[in-house]
Amino acid sequence: MLQRDYTTSQLDVLEAEAMHIMREVAAEFERPCLLFSGGKDSIVMLRIAEKAFWPAPIPFPLMHVDTGHNFEEVIEFRDRRVAELGVRLVVASVQEAIDAGKVTEDTGRRASRNRLQTVPLLDAIEEHEFDAVFGGARRDEEKARAKERVFSFRDDFGQWDPKNQRPELWNLYNARIRKGEHIRVFPLSNWTELDVWDYIRREGIEIPSIYFAHTRKVFERDGMLLPDTDVVQRGEDEPLFEAVVRYRTVGDMTCTGAVQSTASTVEEIIEEIAATRITERGATRADDRASEAAMEDRKREGYF
């Protein structure tokens, strides 16, 4: 007698939860959007959105907060993917915010535009009247993110206050907001970095080439390998050298480091991540090495 296996895998459960969250947002909110940087987490969110609403098109636009200091490979991937799907892309530009005098660019050896993303993000949310914004944050990234719920309430200044978070009982979410307020929604809250890569392997999802091992000129700063580029100011005590590296996460070139690796396939990346004890942001994001209190302050200001 033929026996059928009706067990559900961990990835199936995570995918179903994320789809439910996206459908709930599409039903409850008037103008949601999905933050899409071309990084692996936002790529996974985009695939889930495709599957959640198929065969209909994705019912909300994508938004990228562009620092102007992004990796070329990632921007090329972003534009190509958007064109393939035929979705609308909203670009919130840090450079335009600098030119308009809304933010002041840092100077010096450790200058970064990463923190400057908050103002153009909030401006774009206000301009387009987005009332729900999908983000790819996961609770395993750092302690401040672990305190956030799936529906993260933001006031009319875009600020996060843990005291104002709503109860989330089972899969019930409170979507009620006043005009000017919005909700940051995190469908991947219960995923880990390893889950993301397992899903990329299972779905056969294309990702930017810098996630795989390649030879690049880099220099070492604070234990991180930063790229040789015009937007990163390198000191005389920071010599350049060639190394075989890959990126575990992508972002602003000024604060996103590479890791030495020979992993050239998704399977090899999964093996590498399964063996490491350091989180991706702890290993590759200089701005995320701040204390838990400092990260919470940034979130209260409206940071991602």
Side-chain angles (χ1 to χ4, degrees):
M1 181 177 178
L2 180 65
Q3 290 186 341
R4 299 184 184 275
D5 183 4
Y6 292 102
T7 58
T8 305
S9 71
Q10 177 182 350
L11 283 183
D12 288 334
V13 171
L14 291 172
E15 180 190 63
E17 178 189 50
M19 285 185 178
H20 166 73
I21 291 167
M22 287 194 171
R23 289 166 178 162
E24 186 77 6
V25 168
E28 294 281 350
F29 293 90
E30 293 184 6
R31 295 184 182 87
C33 77
L34 186 150
L35 290 174
F36 183 73
S37 64
K40 66 182 185 307
D41 297 321
S42 61
I43 290 171
V44 165
M45 278 203 305
L46 190 58
R47 170 56 61 89
I48 291 170
E50 285 184 82
K51 296 179 73 171
F53 302 103
W54 180 263
I58 296 173
F60 38 74
L62 311 184
M63 177 165 63
H64 182 208
V65 184
D66 185 357
T67 67
H69 292 168
N70 298 287
F71 293 93
E72 292 181 4
E73 300 94 325
V74 178
I75 295 300
E76 183 277 330
F77 177 88
R78 179 202 71 182
D79 293 342
R80 178 162 50 83
R81 195 74 186 99
V82 166
E84 288 171 356
L85 292 173
V87 294
R88 180 165 70 96
L89 175 67
V90 174
V91 177
S93 170
V94 170
Q95 184 61 58
E96 290 181 5
I98 293 171
D99 295 342
K102 294 181 178 180
V103 295
T104 302
E105 186 164 19
D106 294 337
T107 58
R109 191 155 132 179
R110 298 179 182 274
S112 172
R113 290 186 174 182
N114 202 46
R115 288 196 63 167
L116 304 185
Q117 295 178 83
T118 300
V119 170
L121 169 65
L122 295 179
D123 283 351
I125 291 173
E126 181 179 7
E127 178 186 350
H128 297 277
E129 297 183 335
F130 292 136
D131 51 4
V133 180
F134 290 108
R138 307 186 318 269
R139 288 173 178 149
D140 70 327
E141 291 178 303
E142 39 89 2
K143 292 181 179 179
R145 293 191 188 276
K147 292 183 178 181
E148 225 163 356
R149 294 178 183 161
V150 174
F151 274 35
S152 178
F153 172 77
R154 303 300 172 104
D155 64 20
D156 50 358
F157 293 103
Q159 297 174 325
W160 174 75
D161 186 343
K163 297 177 183 178
N164 288 334
Q165 291 194 104
R166 286 89 179 269
E168 290 184 350
L169 306 175
W170 300 285
N171 59 351
L172 301 177
Y173 304 104
N174 186 341
R176 295 184 178 181
I177 57 173
R178 298 185 180 92
K179 186 174 177 58
E181 300 170 341
H182 72 279
I183 299 288
R184 305 281 175 90
V185 184
F186 303 115
L188 307 185
S189 288
N190 293 324
W191 296 52
T192 65
E193 183 185 9
L194 193 56
D195 291 328
V196 168
W197 281 107
D198 278 337
Y199 190 77
I200 289 171
R201 174 176 60 180
R202 189 186 81 172
E203 298 290 308
I205 301 173
E206 182 187 0
I207 55 175
S209 60
I210 65 172
Y211 278 113
F212 300 108
H214 59 282
T215 301
R216 183 182 291 263
K217 286 186 177 180
V218 295
F219 65 93
E220 185 173 352
R221 175 180 294 170
D222 299 332
M224 294 176 54
L225 299 179
L226 295 178
D228 177 31
T229 172
D230 293 340
V231 303
V232 180
Q233 186 174 332
R234 181 172 58 88
E236 295 181 358
D237 59 337
E238 297 173 321
L240 278 177
F241 60 93
E242 278 195 350
V244 178
V245 300
R246 73 174 191 85
Y247 286 85
R248 286 178 67 182
T249 185
V250 299
D252 191 289
M253 287 188 289
T254 59
C255 62
T256 304
V259 295
Q260 289 188 313
S261 171
T262 59
S264 58
T265 66
V266 172
E267 288 74 15
E268 290 175 347
I269 290 174
I270 290 172
E271 291 179 6
E272 182 180 273
I273 293 170
T276 189
R277 297 297 183 97
I278 304 175
T279 65
E280 61 188 294
R281 289 182 175 268
T284 63
R285 292 292 292 272
D287 60 319
D288 283 349
R289 291 183 172 184
S291 68
E292 179 185 351
M295 288 300 295
E296 283 202 23
D297 287 342
R298 293 173 66 182
K299 292 179 72 60
R300 290 175 190 271
E301 294 168 2
Y303 185 73
F304 294 106

